[in-house]
């Protein structure tokens, strides 16, 4: 079933993401020559991948606070949030195609809780293999298309944040 803009706005509101609009124009991710089956998690360091130095267990009692803090740190450090606290969120409006993103422009509210909101659009289906607890998993893109961020659940069951930002490579 296809989601309307109102459906998306209602789902994201408890997370503190204010839906602004569906992005209708083509959105280009930050990688000019992406690897096959491109997702942020499939990229390597030479693509401009920066991993958080933190990974969290799904049964951690402080999971929500830790994931939120790590997401915000990475989003701020790598310029995913713009000066208006806006970004693009990958959303499935109903047409699910592997490796094809539809984006919604959203603004981060003053009070927010991405990891504990229970938002269907920010939740992990894969995480259900590890726990009945709500686990976050989502992909975001900066409004200037220079940085792509992903909070993901790994095959080990841990949750972490990574950013793809090729223009920050140092050549090391």
């Amino acid at each position: 079933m296809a989601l309307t803009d109102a459906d998306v706005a209602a789902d994201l509101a408890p997370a503190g993401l204010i839906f602004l609009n569906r992005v209708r124009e083509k959105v280009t991710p930050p990688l000019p020559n992406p690897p096959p089956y491109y997702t942020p998690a499939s990229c390597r360091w030479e693509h401009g991948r920066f991993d958080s130095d933190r990974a969290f267990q799904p049964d951690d009692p402080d999971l929500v606070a830790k994931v939120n803090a790590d997401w915000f740190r990475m989003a701020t450090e790598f310029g995913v949030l713009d000066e208006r606290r806006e970004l693009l969120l990958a959303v499935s409006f109903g047409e699910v195609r592997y490796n094809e993103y539809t984006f919604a422009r959203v603004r981060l509210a003053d009070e927010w809780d991405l990891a504990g909101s229970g938002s269907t659009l920010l939740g992990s289906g894969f995480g259900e293999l590890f726990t009945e607890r709500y686990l976050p998993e989502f992909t975001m893109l900066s409004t200037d298309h220079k940085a792509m961020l992903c909070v993901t659940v790994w095959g080990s069951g841990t949750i972490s944040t990574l950013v793809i930002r090729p223009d920050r490579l140092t050549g090391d």
Side-chain angles (χ1 to χ4, degrees), residues 72-84:
F72 190 74
R73 179 182 63 82
M74 296 282 286
T76 303
E77 179 180 341
F78 288 95
V80 177
L81 289 167
D82 70 15
E83 64 280 351
R84 293 175 310 276

Side-chain angles (χ1 to χ4, degrees), residues 101-116:
Y101 298 106
T102 300
F103 287 94
R105 180 180 289 269
V106 297
R107 179 178 301 125
L108 187 66
D110 290 337
E111 294 189 27
W112 54 272
D113 180 4
L114 304 184

Side-chain angles (χ1 to χ4, degrees), residues 76-141:
T76 303
E77 179 180 341
F78 288 95
V80 177
L81 289 167
D82 70 15
E83 64 280 351
R84 293 175 310 276
R85 295 172 48 110
E86 291 180 11
L87 51 85
L88 305 179
L89 173 68
V91 173
S92 174
F93 282 89
E95 306 89 27
V96 178
R97 291 180 214 112
Y98 179 75
N99 201 22
E100 290 185 22
Y101 298 106
T102 300
F103 287 94
R105 180 180 289 269
V106 297
R107 179 178 301 125
L108 187 66
D110 290 337
E111 294 189 27
W112 54 272
D113 180 4
L114 304 184
S117 67
S119 163
T120 302
L121 296 171
L122 301 178
S124 174
F126 181 64
E128 294 171 0
L129 298 174
F130 303 102
T131 182
E132 291 182 17
R133 183 178 188 180
Y134 174 83
L135 297 179
E137 188 166 41
F138 50 85
T139 299
M140 298 172 157
L141 182 67

Side-chain angles (χ1 to χ4, degrees), residues 25-74:
E25 65 272 5
K26 182 170 174 43
V27 173
T28 308
L31 215 51
N33 298 306
Y37 309 109
Y38 173 62
T39 67
S42 68
C43 291
R44 299 180 2 185
W45 69 268
E46 61 264 25
H47 299 122
R49 177 173 161 167
F50 297 87
D51 284 271
S52 172
D53 56 354
R54 299 167 183 104
F56 310 108
Q57 297 295 327
D59 59 353
D60 185 330
D62 297 322
L63 178 71
V64 169
K66 288 177 178 178
V67 170
N68 279 334
D70 202 45
W71 169 83
F72 190 74
R73 179 182 63 82
M74 296 282 286

Side-chain angles (χ1 to χ4, degrees), residues 16-37:
L17 290 175
I18 301 162
F19 177 84
L20 300 174
N21 63 286
R22 186 184 309 209
V23 178
R24 304 252 182 224
E25 65 272 5
K26 182 170 174 43
V27 173
T28 308
L31 215 51
N33 298 306
Y37 309 109

